[in-house]
Amino acid sequence: GLFILAPLQNLRADRGSSASLDGTWHANGWDVNASVFASDIRHPLMTRPAADGQHLVLINSDSPRRVRGAELLIGRAFGDLHMLASSTWLDATEALPGEPRHGVNLVPRLAAELAGILEDEDRGRVGLELGYTGRQTLTDDPWRTVSRPYLELNALAECKVGRARIFV
């Protein structure tokens, strides 16, 4: 809960600004979407340990939190089979007052996904998804400062039974 926070003092509202450029292409059953983007949050709220060692103090950072990135999404339908591929690259950084800029905690630099969904409008659908999550900065882990990349396999099934739908 919030009991760990020290009383609030001298906080400013954070302010954000962002920009993006998006492009889309459709042809012969292919859908391709690409985006590049950037955002800055000025005076972001951050925590630091209080002097008593038992509480956390909320502070505003003097350095903005910055995110730069790009995303690519490709889709293709083959009858009832829908295939999707996506990739996202992020460069997210922040800094506490008086400290050097570092990667934002738990934000992967690279993530990607490949999915296939077989869909029948009258009966339901089944899908598989293979996801990749790249290295992430870890600030609260005593054994490492950067995570290992990992793969994740997900499955989804939906069956229509009368007016009801069953998901697994």
Side-chain angles (χ1 to χ4, degrees):
L2 297 176
F3 67 90
I4 198 166
L5 288 178
L8 303 179
Q9 297 180 23
N10 304 321
L11 293 176
R12 293 183 282 180
D14 54 7
R15 299 281 186 243
S17 59
S18 63
S20 68
L21 179 63
D22 305 306
T24 301
W25 176 74
H26 305 282
N28 301 321
W30 290 92
D31 290 318
V32 178
N33 298 287
S35 297
V36 293
F37 51 87
S39 67
D40 287 356
I41 300 174
R42 295 175 304 284
H43 313 297
L45 288 176
M46 303 181 85
T47 59
R48 91 168 359 160
D52 66 10
Q54 296 182 10
H55 291 91
L56 292 175
V57 177
L58 272 179
I59 61 168
N60 287 105
S61 176
D62 295 330
S63 179
R65 178 175 289 168
R66 294 187 174 123
V67 178
R68 309 291 183 257
E71 184 174 50
L72 178 65
L73 175 63
I74 301 171
R76 173 75 198 234
F78 302 93
D80 291 341
L81 177 62
H82 303 272
M83 300 295 294
L84 298 169
S86 69
S87 179
T88 304
W89 173 82
L90 290 173
D91 181 23
T93 61
E94 65 185 2
L96 283 166
E99 293 185 10
R101 184 166 283 284
H102 59 84
V104 174
N105 195 38
L106 299 177
V107 176
R109 191 120 165 127
L110 181 64
E113 183 179 289
L114 183 60
I117 303 164
L118 187 58
E119 184 171 16
D120 181 328
E121 290 286 332
D122 298 323
R123 298 176 66 200
R125 68 184 111 188
V126 62
L128 284 175
E129 171 190 87
L130 178 62
Y132 169 81
T133 300
R135 290 180 170 80
Q136 303 173 64
T137 301
L138 304 173
T139 56
D140 294 330
D141 190 318
W143 294 281
R144 63 179 82 134
T145 58
V146 177
S147 72
R148 293 186 189 115
Y150 60 91
L151 292 174
E152 186 177 331
L153 181 62
N154 298 298
L156 169 73
E158 173 195 5
C159 181
K160 294 181 180 179
V161 181
R163 294 179 57 182
R165 296 170 187 242
I166 299 170
F167 289 92
V168 176

